[in-house]
Amino acid sequence: MQDFTLGNGTTQQTSGTDVFIQNLDPSTTYDAYVRAQCGSTFGEFSERVRFTTGPICNTPGNIILIQANSTNIQIAFNTNGESAFEIEYGLIGFELGTGTIVNTSSNNLFITGLTPDTVYELYLRANCGSDGFSEYADTLVFATDP
């Protein structure tokens, strides 16, 4: 974990220049220090190396508005290896958690029943079941035709 006191962290020894650290928590920032062992003595610790592990659930991306008319839209997006998604949309400026939610396994989707001549905001994230949700992809703002 980050900001630990030297001597209180987990130690891993290696004889090579590459180290593979396992069983880290996703989306967590860690600090690491390196020092050489020369026989029975150790050198000074290196400068701190800080890194953050990736999420366990990939964020979908590249939301594209394929078509829009007065009451429907069609969108597509990149799954980034995930297979279930949550889309939430509402009038522009709505607060997440108060919009209309659509759960889908498709990355090419029609949303129907929209109001003509209205500006909407759409949010997308992957639903990874027991692993939770990904971060939200970029927001899509779109308008229906009059």
Side-chain angles (χ1 to χ4, degrees), residues 114-125:
L114 302 174
T115 303
D117 200 22
T118 303
V119 179
Y120 289 90
E121 204 169 12
L122 180 143
Y123 292 87
L124 165 69
R125 63 183 178 173

Side-chain angles (χ1 to χ4, degrees), residues 50-118:
R50 180 166 281 175
F51 63 94
T52 302
T53 55
I56 199 163
C57 188
N58 295 315
T59 303
N62 300 325
I63 307 171
I64 299 168
L65 178 64
I66 295 174
Q67 64 178 339
N69 63 34
S70 61
T71 59
N72 307 306
I73 65 164
Q74 180 183 8
I75 62 167
F77 55 89
N78 184 321
T79 66
N80 286 336
E82 300 300 343
S83 60
F85 308 94
E86 179 186 85
I87 294 168
E88 185 173 355
Y89 66 92
L91 298 176
I92 191 160
F94 82 99
E95 185 177 328
L96 276 171
T98 65
T100 301
I101 294 177
V102 176
N103 291 295
T104 184
S105 59
S106 175
N107 68 327
N108 189 325
L109 183 72
F110 288 91
I111 296 176
T112 61
L114 302 174
T115 303
D117 200 22
T118 303

Side-chain angles (χ1 to χ4, degrees), residues 1-2 9-10 13 15 17 35 38 55 68-69 91 113 117 127-128 130-131 134 139:
M1 300 299 251
Q2 74 182 44
T10 302
Q13 293 186 355
S15 59
T17 57
R35 66 180 179 171
C38 304
N69 63 34
L91 298 176
D117 200 22
N127 181 344
C128 298
S130 62
D131 290 330
S134 72
T139 305

